[in-house]
Amino acid sequence: MSKTLIRGAKVLGGEPQDVLIDGGTIAEVGTGLSAEGAEVVEAGGKVLLPGLVDLHTHLREPGREDSETVLTGTRAAASGGYTAVFAMANTFPVADTAGVVEQVYRLGQEHGYCDVQPIGAVTVGLEGRKLAELGAMHESAAGVTVFSDDGKCVDDAVIMRRALEYVKAFGGVVAQHAQEPRLTEGAQMNEGVVSAELGLGGWPAVAEESIIARDVLLAEHVGSRVHICHLSTAGSVEIVRWAKSRGIDVTAEVTPHHLLLTDELVRTYNPVYKVNPPLRTERDVLALREALADGTIDIVATDHAPHPHEDKDCEWAAAAMGMVGLETALSVVQETMVDTGLLTWAGVAERMSVKPAEIGQAKGHGRPVSAGEPANLTLVDTAYRGSVDPAGFASRSRNTPYEGRELPGRVTHTWLRGKATLVDGKLT
Ligand SMILES: [Zn+2]
């Protein structure tokens, strides 16, 4: 059994403590712990968090291994401080059967960089017409509890109702990509001042908000649980706030990029800023930060969406939508939420580890940093500042909106059940 002593880390940003890992478990947390027989990691000044959990990752395997694989995606995850990711179902073939979700789950286990919990499709082929085999996916070795047609909206109200009813039986959750399809036909960016000036097809806030309003009401009606993916507008925040005040069982996520970037960037016509849902306005960004701080938005999820060079480096209209995010998420959250005084590190741990693990039922993740718990941990040098260099990414794709941008914080170590997956910023 190997032992590691993490010496002098600020656990959840608090007072410096030593954390002793023995095998796959945290053996002891305290001060002045003996280093006998242990490898020592000097962590003075750094912040120790429970391993991050991403409820919204696109790993692209099977089918689009040119943009990402389970191996490269989980290496990117470990590099960003994650110990568990939920893999979205919009692969080729779609993860709508027990066979596909088991394949993705097993690949994650084999590679050993990060636990991979597959998300099952809500409808067969993401076509929105017929419910997929939700029960079979839940009962498979992958034990699916989160279902989503992400990339597409479950826009048929009857199908959405049936899905909510179905997952209720085993305590699952439907994660909705809220986008009314008719209202966003031909949409290229946020509908507003900038889209009008540029003459690009607009994506109105109401296309997102109307679906969220409908779905929280459906969740209330059937007494089930709904999760809203990537909230992007101030109006969406208001609806979720209202729903929660009414006691509706709803949770919501925001992406790092929606906490930082606005639609003003589209003026560059650089497709790296093309994303779904689109970048919104400064007012929306501020409302999202405030909602994440006050708990209206429960979690940060990356919506890590890798695309190969040829799908992004083309004219705006033809470019694929999405950004990579696993390797920069924590830095963007530090920049927008911690360095602004909106969240403490304990608050970050809650929103990037504890709650996502809870929503997705990721066993052994999002646990307290205390004796007897699985040693899923991440160590962050929060004093670091540096510019983002995508050439150093572990992801197979490079479509980051932060290239050359200076961001704070750097994950130096990640441990998955006591095994170091990242040491001094290098993957093992
Ligand atoms: Zn989505």
Side-chain angles (χ1 to χ4, degrees), residues 54-340:
D54 190 20
L55 201 63
H56 192 146
T57 303
H58 296 275
L59 291 178
R60 304 297 192 212
E61 187 176 0
R64 284 306 302 267
E65 291 85 353
D66 57 329
S67 46
E68 197 78 286
T69 64
V70 173
L71 178 61
T72 59
T74 52
R75 282 170 62 88
S79 178
Y82 288 87
T83 52
V85 296
F86 285 74
M88 276 297 175
N90 61 340
T91 48
F92 304 92
V94 169
D96 58 3
T97 62
V100 179
V101 294
E102 282 184 353
Q103 179 195 351
V104 172
Y105 174 75
R106 291 214 171 95
L107 283 169
Q109 294 294 306
E110 275 167 36
H111 299 319
Y113 281 97
C114 176
D115 285 347
V116 175
Q117 187 55 60
I119 291 175
V122 175
T123 67
V124 173
L126 306 178
E127 285 172 356
R129 288 198 279 277
K130 186 168 169 277
L131 276 193
E133 302 164 6
L134 310 187
M137 288 189 272
H138 175 66
E139 276 148 33
S140 74
V144 177
T145 59
V146 183
F147 297 87
S148 182
D149 275 3
D150 183 63
K152 287 185 176 173
C153 180
V154 180
D155 65 314
D156 183 312
V158 174
I159 297 279
M160 188 62 182
R161 174 186 179 161
R162 290 210 188 104
L164 288 166
E165 284 169 342
Y166 202 106
V167 301
K168 190 182 164 182
F170 52 80
V173 66
V174 178
Q176 175 68 293
H177 168 116
Q179 178 188 355
E180 211 292 318
R182 292 273 290 142
L183 284 170
T184 51
E185 274 173 18
Q188 293 284 328
M189 66 170 294
N190 177 50
E191 180 178 301
V193 176
V194 183
S195 69
E197 280 180 37
L198 299 180
L200 287 174
W203 189 308
V206 67
E208 175 172 311
E209 293 157 7
S210 57
I211 294 291
I212 298 176
R214 182 200 74 178
D215 287 353
V216 295
L217 291 171
L218 279 175
E220 178 179 49
H221 183 64
V222 306
S224 189
R225 193 156 72 93
V226 68
H227 176 76
I228 311 295
C229 298
H230 41 52
L231 249 71
S232 71
T233 77
S236 297
V237 166
E238 285 312 306
I239 295 163
V240 170
R241 192 172 278 141
W242 171 84
K244 286 189 167 182
S245 74
R246 226 172 126 88
I248 297 172
D249 205 353
V250 56
T251 51
E253 72 189 32
V254 63
T255 70
H257 48 273
H258 287 111
L259 291 171
L260 182 61
L261 309 177
T262 71
D263 65 351
E264 288 292 330
L265 290 163
V266 180
R267 292 183 191 280
T268 64
Y269 286 107
N270 184 345
V272 79
Y273 301 118
K274 188 172 175 185
V275 65
N276 177 351
L279 300 177
R280 304 287 188 178
T281 67
E282 183 74 22
R283 180 178 157 262
D284 296 304
V285 166
L286 296 177
L288 293 167
R289 289 183 188 181
E290 191 190 319
L292 183 63
D294 74 18
T296 303
I297 295 176
D298 302 81
I299 66 168
V300 175
T302 67
D303 194 6
H304 176 80
H307 290 292
H309 177 73
E310 59 272 23
D311 290 356
K312 283 301 263 187
D313 197 12
C314 51
E315 63 179 291
W316 181 273
M321 289 183 279
M323 302 166 169
V324 291
L326 286 167
E327 293 170 84
T328 49
L330 193 59
S331 290
V332 174
V333 170
Q334 182 179 340
E335 167 105 342
T336 57
M337 301 299 296
V338 181
D339 292 354
T340 53

